[in-house]
Each structure stands twice: as C-alpha cells, then as structure tokens.
Amino acid sequence: MPVRYRIPLFLFAVVALVSGLWGGLGRLPGLADLTGGAALPPPTAAGFHGPLMAAAFFGTVISLERAVALDRPWAYLAPALCGLGGVALLAGAAPGAAGGLLALGLAVLVLASAVVWRRQPALHNAILLLAALLGALACLGFALGAPLRAGVPGWGAFLVLTIAGERLELSRLLPPSPLARRGVAVAALVAAGAVLAGVLGALGGLGGGEDLWSNRAARGAALAYLALAGLLVKRDVAWKSARLPGLPRYIAVCLLSGYLWLAAGALMLLAWGLPGAGPHYDAALHALFVGYVLAMVFGHAPIVLPSVAGVPFPYRPALYLPLAVLHGSLALRLLGDVAGEPGWRLAGGMGNGAAVLLFALTAVAAVRAGRRQRRGRRPAERG
C-alpha cells in the first residue's frame, strides 16, 4: 500500500493517542481545581483511557507496522478496525460495539501474525502471535461486558510481549543460549496462561469474583515480566550499543531504562496485585505502560517510522530531552502515589503528557531536517 493511503490510519492513531492522553490527565486528582474545570476531557475519553491507549492507539500502530511488513492488502483491515473502534468509543458507542471493532482489528492482527510465523517459524514471531492473541482476548472480554479491570492484564501482556518479541527480532540478542531462549518462551507462556485464566475467570463469574481473578492474572503475569526483564537486560545487544555514539547509544539508553521500569512495575504488581483504583493501581500500571512501553516507543521510533511512514528520522541529540522528562516525571508521579502526595502525582502525570508532546515535536523537527538533507543530496548526486 502506498504511503499516502496509510495517512488515514495514522490519523486514527493520532486521535486515539491525543484523546487517550487527555482522558488520562482528566483522571488525575486535582486537575479540575488547577484548571477551573476548563481542561477536563469528555467522559468517554476519561472513562475509556485504557482501551483508547492500549487497544485503539497501540493496536493501530502495531497492526499497521505488521501490515507493512506482511505487504498484503487485507492486513490493513487490522489498523483500520482498531482505529474505528477508538473513534466509536469517543463517539459514545456502546462498549459492545466499540469493543467488537477493537477485537476484530486485533483478530486480523492475529491472522497476519500467524502468516508471518508460518513464513518464518522463529521464537520472536511466535511471541508476537501470542501477544496479538492476548490483546484480542482482552478486547473480546471488553466487548462481552467484562469490567475494564479484567482486560488490563491482557492489554498489558499484548504490549509487553510485543515489545519483547520485537527486541528478539530487531536487536538479534547476543548469541542466545538454549537456556535463555527457553526462559523467554516459558515467561511468555506463563504470562499468557495467567492472563487467559484471569479473563475467563472474570467473564465466567467463577469462584472468588473479579478481584480474585484480576489479582491472580496480574501476579502471574508479573512473575513472567520480572523474568523477561532479567533475560532482556542480560542478553540485549544494547549493552554493546551503549558504547557507540549517536543513534545506537540513544536506543540503548531507551531500552535499558525501559527494562528497569518493567522490573519495577512487575515488583509492584507482585506486592499489591491489581487494585480496582487508587495510588497503587496508578503506580504499577504506569510503571509498565509509561516507563516501559513509552521508553521503547521513543527508542524504536527512529527505526520503525521510516519503514512504516516512508519518512526519514535522523538522530538528533535533542531526543534525550523527552526521554529525560518521561523518566523524571514518572518517578515524581510514583513518589506521589507511594507518599500519598496528590500534588506530586498530578505534576508527574502532566509531565508524562508533556514528554509525549515534546517527543512528537522533536520527531517532527527531525523528520523535517531529514527531508532537507535528502533534498540537498539529490542535486549533488545529479551533479
């Protein structure tokens, strides 16, 4: 598919990202008092912050990347359906209808991932397929009426395992021993089993109710994430890349800092389970979704964006600024959660949003600079 036809899919992703971030800010205590109620998001953006970010935004972006790699027209149904599901949520559609679109989108992603795995039956492709299955399952549970909390472990596993699979593929880990490969495979299966049991238990109303099954799913997945963090930190080529200048060092800093947040979030889930709300819920989930996932997004964007969007993304030292803001504001947010300081939590949450905005602005500036460089080289090449 030519790049120009992918633009509407990018717009779907942008809408989901902006509304999801705004909705997340609206959930922070004290924002209404700070802004006088002027900056509050609509109820749909605040109420569906989780599915907008995990399923609509990341579902669109991940499935679009997979569609480009697969190079089959039908695979673009996945980002289209995920994007439409996000728009439906914002438009006030029933969760069953919007969740159904998201589930269908991720089901197409499952099919695309299965085709890729059949072409190349490698471990990283198996993990990517498993991650897509868990994301689709979480969206299906949402469509069938399961509480949002029941879908959180599935959406978390979708993102955590997708990133782990892509690291196995992109970085070509330092010569992986059979033991390390088995460890990654077992960790992925443990996370999948925990999430599957949690979603089915919550949907089926099995003994113990939602609290028991959500906590079991979160703690089981957390054990797997802790093992994954250890394996990735030990085996990732980022340790060697960190000694190189420019883009390799920047990517390495993003990756290694993200692994630390993955381990921190896993430890919090092991200690606290998955509370229905409150500071512990906020701290554990944002260590994973902000600290780990967004650090990986920042690090992989200069690699992925040129292949998916067809635009240059040259390295610039300014990329370290949004990364520093991301980690600093997240640390402040978590300190506010643990210390019971809502003001710190609010400032940290606003800093998280500012880091994403700052990264977007830095990326736009880098892309424009890359285009100028490309135009400048063409006359020289002709001469």
Side-chain angles (χ1 to χ4, degrees):
M1 179 181 288
V3 172
R4 64 181 179 274
Y5 295 128
R6 300 175 199 162
I7 292 176
L9 303 178
F10 278 110
L11 293 178
F12 278 143
V14 170
V15 168
L17 174 63
V18 172
S19 57
L21 289 174
W22 191 18
L25 290 174
R27 297 166 65 94
L28 291 170
L31 183 68
D33 295 335
L34 182 66
T35 64
L40 290 182
T44 51
F48 296 119
H49 164 66
L52 280 170
M53 292 297 296
F57 171 63
F58 281 111
T60 300
V61 171
I62 291 169
S63 57
L64 178 58
E65 181 187 355
R66 201 73 44 85
V68 171
L70 186 60
D71 196 24
R72 290 291 182 271
W74 59 264
Y76 287 92
L77 282 172
L81 288 167
C82 287
L84 287 171
V87 171
L89 281 176
L90 293 171
L101 288 171
L102 294 171
L104 283 173
L106 289 182
V108 177
L109 175 61
V110 170
L111 181 58
S113 302
V115 172
V116 172
W117 177 79
R118 186 178 178 184
R119 289 180 180 179
Q120 184 187 13
L123 176 60
H124 66 266
N125 284 329
I127 291 176
L128 292 174
L129 173 58
L130 183 61
L133 279 168
L134 296 176
L137 177 65
C139 290
L140 180 61
F142 175 50
L144 294 177
L148 282 176
R149 182 183 171 204
V152 168
W155 287 317
F158 168 51
L159 298 178
V160 170
L161 295 183
T162 293
I163 294 169
E166 289 183 347
R167 283 312 300 159
L168 287 170
E169 178 184 15
L170 288 174
S171 70
R172 304 301 182 193
L173 299 187
L174 295 174
S177 66
L179 182 61
R181 293 177 64 84
R182 291 192 194 102
V184 172
V186 169
L189 289 174
V190 168
V195 170
L196 181 64
V199 173
L200 293 181
L203 275 174
L206 302 179
E210 176 197 338
D211 287 346
L212 175 66
W213 287 102
S214 293
N215 285 325
R216 281 182 175 177
R219 287 195 168 102
L223 281 172
Y225 299 160
L226 196 57
L228 271 177
L231 288 165
L232 291 170
V233 164
K234 183 178 180 182
R235 307 300 302 180
D236 203 303
V237 74
W239 287 109
K240 288 190 173 182
S241 301
R243 303 170 190 168
L244 302 174
L247 182 61
R249 178 179 294 167
Y250 166 73
I251 294 175
V253 171
C254 290
L255 299 177
L256 296 174
S257 59
Y259 296 150
L260 293 178
W261 283 118
L262 175 61
L267 289 171
M268 292 177 201
L269 287 174
L270 282 172
W272 302 327
L274 189 66
H280 288 174
Y281 180 88
D282 183 82
L285 292 192
H286 287 89
L288 290 175
F289 287 104
V290 174
Y292 173 63
V293 174
L294 288 186
M296 296 299 172
V297 170
F298 286 10
H300 285 127
I303 301 173
V304 174
L305 196 61
S307 63
V308 174
V311 295
F313 194 152
Y315 165 76
R316 301 182 68 169
L319 287 169
Y320 280 102
L321 180 58
L323 182 66
V325 173
L326 180 80
H327 291 321
S329 61
L330 180 58
L332 179 61
R333 179 176 189 158
L334 268 60
L335 282 173
D337 286 326
V338 174
E341 293 286 347
W344 296 1
R345 178 179 173 185
L346 175 61
M350 295 178 70
N352 297 161
V356 175
L357 177 61
L358 188 57
F359 179 79
L361 294 174
T362 307
V364 169
V367 167
R368 294 182 64 183
R371 284 177 169 169
R372 286 195 298 268
Q373 291 171 3
R374 181 182 291 177
R375 286 195 298 267
R377 282 196 298 266
R378 286 173 182 168
E381 290 168 357
R382 288 195 295 268

